[in-house]
Amino acid sequence: MARKMGFYAVLAYVLYGFLVYWYLFYLADTSLPFEYQGSKADPATFMDGRELMLSEEYSKVRNLLFFLSAPLEWLIYFLILLTGLSKAFKKWGKDTTKNKYGRVAIYVIWLSFFSYLATFPLSYISYNLSRTYNISTQTFASWMKDELIDFWINYGMMLVIVAVLYLLIKKSRRFWWMFAWLLSIPFTLFIMFVQPILIDPLYNDFYPLKDKELETKILELASRAEIPSEHVFEVNMAEKTNSLNAYVTGIGSNSRIVLWDTTLNRLNDDQILFIMAHEMAHYVEKHLYIGIAGYLLLSLVGLYLTARLMNWLISRWGNEFKIKDPGDLASLPLFLMILSMLAFASSPLSNFVSRYQEARADRYAIEMTDNPEAAITSFQELSKAGLSQVNPPLLVKIFRYGHPTMLERISRLEEYEVQKRNNDS
């Protein structure tokens, strides 16, 4: 039975991959609606022929990799259960040490290592793709360094989470999901608080903005937005990417404004000020805290559904999965698989809310800077630097885009520009 389930799971993944490929490469229409052709949102007006071709090619492959990655994760966890690997990981921990937390540590390291190796080919293809299209400038050694940092940070957090989670399951079979959710609140806030000062510097060097004249302009903008910030930070991303970015990160006293050096190198001051005003809007309108509240609400529902689904699946296919009850550490791949599926299923909703917030931030930024030309050209440069599709396929927008499409963003700015011109005349 387990062999048959594994075969059908692999077959389903292969068929799913072909369907996604067919949709992205043959069915989806990314052409610009007639009414936008020739407008400033038309990529033909700010990209040359080669850039247009590369953006379509790169976006299609990148979107394909995105849609393949999450189901591949589910398949790996499913096969780890069916093949008895999860049970073996647990046995290795039990044979190695008598300490129950040591056993958890050994189990989690084996599961993390095996999962990483199984997904590594897709990760490498994604890295190599970005190198091929000159999005990434990162050497393989530098990329592997970041991958290893990711691995150990994720391992450390998972070790804590798993140890607490299975302790709760054993203490309360009915309400462990509620206790786990309550503990996740301070844990999430703590991670967000320490990320700018402890986690982010592991990947890149952060230092005060060198251009003091630009820093003064940004801090003046922050003062108008009533954002308590004394410094703007610059991060050295040029050695890793040609993409552009800027953001406001952290919570409480650790909040900071960050600019990628690629953004500083490619955009002028007016364009940067628009982008910074956009990021400041998230702070002003409390989008970060709304996002935290939304995440916590979704995680509550997700943990409840995960608990119910785990009980049902184990009662029905426990023998095939080689697990007897949810409190068995060997059930962790099932827990992770269900949680990942629910996160993927909820992504259209979270992306919809995010796109609404991003549209609000665009509106705030243009009203604060009152420079539609700088705003439009900044989005055009962002599209060129990232080889982004201006009008992506519908499913890509629903599942991938936490921002409005560039077609939507630039066309709205054009409308504002027309209104401003009419008001001035």
Side-chain angles (χ1 to χ4, degrees):
M1 181 64 176
R3 184 178 297 179
K4 184 181 292 186
M5 290 171 67
F7 171 78
Y8 283 124
V10 173
L11 180 62
Y13 180 75
V14 172
L15 291 175
Y16 163 82
F18 277 117
L19 286 173
V20 171
Y21 178 84
W22 174 70
Y23 171 76
L24 292 174
F25 285 81
Y26 295 102
L27 184 63
D29 182 16
T30 59
S31 61
L32 215 60
F34 175 78
E35 61 269 26
Y36 295 105
Q37 293 178 12
S39 69
K40 293 180 181 179
D42 186 346
T45 63
F46 59 88
M47 290 186 185
D48 59 34
R50 183 173 181 274
E51 288 172 330
L52 286 170
M53 178 190 70
L54 291 177
S55 67
E56 282 297 311
E57 289 179 356
Y58 176 68
S59 295
K60 285 178 179 177
V61 179
R62 185 180 60 171
N63 291 333
L64 176 64
L65 292 174
F66 167 81
F67 281 108
L68 291 178
S69 60
L72 177 62
E73 181 184 356
W74 311 338
L75 178 64
I76 289 167
Y77 288 140
F78 191 66
L79 293 178
I80 286 174
L81 288 169
L82 291 178
T83 57
L85 270 175
S86 185
K87 188 177 180 179
F89 296 156
K90 180 185 173 184
K91 185 177 183 300
W92 295 342
K94 189 176 181 180
D95 293 343
T96 305
T97 179
K98 294 181 179 179
N99 183 280
K100 61 180 179 179
Y101 296 110
R103 292 175 179 178
V104 173
I106 292 170
Y107 176 90
V108 173
I109 192 66
W110 275 110
L111 179 63
S112 300
F113 182 67
F114 188 88
S115 301
Y116 178 79
L117 286 182
T119 57
F120 181 82
L122 209 59
S123 298
Y124 177 75
I125 290 171
S126 180
Y127 159 73
N128 194 52
L129 176 73
S130 60
R131 285 277 297 180
T132 301
Y133 284 85
N134 201 34
I135 302 298
S136 172
T137 58
Q138 194 172 16
T139 63
F140 178 76
S142 174
W143 178 73
M144 276 305 304
K145 177 186 173 184
D146 286 351
E147 287 286 296
L148 290 173
I149 292 172
D150 271 343
F151 177 87
W152 288 111
I153 288 176
N154 290 334
Y155 170 73
M157 289 196 291
M158 183 178 285
L159 179 57
V160 173
I161 292 169
V162 170
V164 173
L165 178 69
Y166 278 85
L167 180 64
L168 293 174
I169 294 176
K170 289 177 180 179
K171 293 289 184 181
S172 176
R173 293 299 176 92
R174 290 186 62 191
F175 298 108
W176 64 263
W177 55 272
M178 174 63 76
F179 297 125
W181 177 77
L182 289 172
L183 288 175
S184 74
I185 297 174
F187 183 78
T188 300
L189 294 176
F190 173 75
I191 293 297
M192 295 188 70
F193 181 76
V194 302
Q195 181 169 336
I197 57 171
L198 292 182
I199 299 176
D200 290 347
L202 295 174
Y203 298 89
N204 300 99
D205 295 325
F206 292 78
Y207 38 83
L209 186 62
K210 298 172 185 175
D211 188 339
K212 295 305 175 184
E213 185 178 344
L214 176 60
E215 183 181 44
T216 300
K217 293 179 182 178
I218 294 173
L219 291 177
E220 286 176 356
L221 206 63
S223 178
R224 286 169 53 195
E226 299 182 356
I227 295 178
S229 184
E230 297 179 359
H231 298 288
V232 179
F233 288 84
E234 183 177 339
V235 55
N236 61 327
M237 291 298 297
E239 62 185 26
K240 293 184 177 181
T241 182
N242 285 318
S243 296
L244 314 180
N245 198 14
Y247 55 92
V248 177
T249 186
I251 57 175
S253 60
N254 281 353
S255 61
R256 57 172 56 175
I257 301 170
V258 180
L259 273 164
W260 285 13
D261 57 353
T262 51
T263 305
L264 294 166
N265 296 337
R266 190 154 176 172
L267 300 185
N268 61 41
D269 284 7
D270 288 340
Q271 293 169 328
I272 291 172
L273 287 174
F274 169 77
I275 290 174
M276 295 313 299
H278 169 96
E279 298 302 331
M280 291 173 190
H282 292 309
Y283 181 94
V284 172
E285 299 205 354
K286 312 296 183 186
H287 290 166
L288 178 62
Y289 298 101
I290 293 171
I292 293 172
Y295 164 77
L296 292 174
L297 178 61
L298 283 176
S299 65
L300 174 61
V301 176
L303 284 170
Y304 170 73
L305 291 176
T306 299
R308 296 295 298 270
L309 287 169
M310 281 185 72
N311 288 331
W312 179 73
L313 289 169
I314 291 173
S315 67
R316 183 160 183 176
W317 289 296
N319 290 333
E320 286 76 13
F321 294 153
K322 283 80 175 175
I323 47 180
K324 296 179 179 178
D325 62 78
D328 186 345
L329 184 60
S331 69
L332 180 59
L334 182 62
F335 172 84
L336 295 174
M337 181 183 73
I338 295 171
L339 212 57
S340 178
M341 286 179 166
L342 293 174
F344 186 80
S346 67
S347 61
L349 174 60
S350 56
N351 285 339
F352 175 81
V353 174
S354 177
R355 288 195 299 271
Y356 172 77
Q357 292 178 338
E358 295 294 339
R360 293 270 303 178
D362 283 350
R363 186 72 185 180
Y364 178 93
I366 192 59
E367 289 176 352
M368 173 172 269
T369 58
D370 197 29
N371 191 340
E373 182 62 27
I376 290 171
T377 53
S378 67
F379 283 149
Q380 291 174 339
E381 287 296 327
L382 284 167
S383 299
K384 290 174 66 175
L387 292 179
S388 304
Q389 286 176 313
V390 170
N391 187 33
L394 179 61
L395 288 181
V396 173
K397 175 184 173 180
I398 290 173
F399 281 94
R400 284 207 67 188
Y401 275 53
H403 291 72
T405 66
M406 283 302 180
L407 173 62
E408 294 167 335
R409 303 180 88 171
I410 295 176
S411 60
R412 285 171 189 160
L413 289 172
E414 280 195 290
E415 291 173 6
Y416 179 88
E417 189 176 33
V418 171
Q419 290 174 0
K420 182 178 184 298
R421 193 182 302 121
N422 291 338
N423 291 337
D424 291 342
S425 61

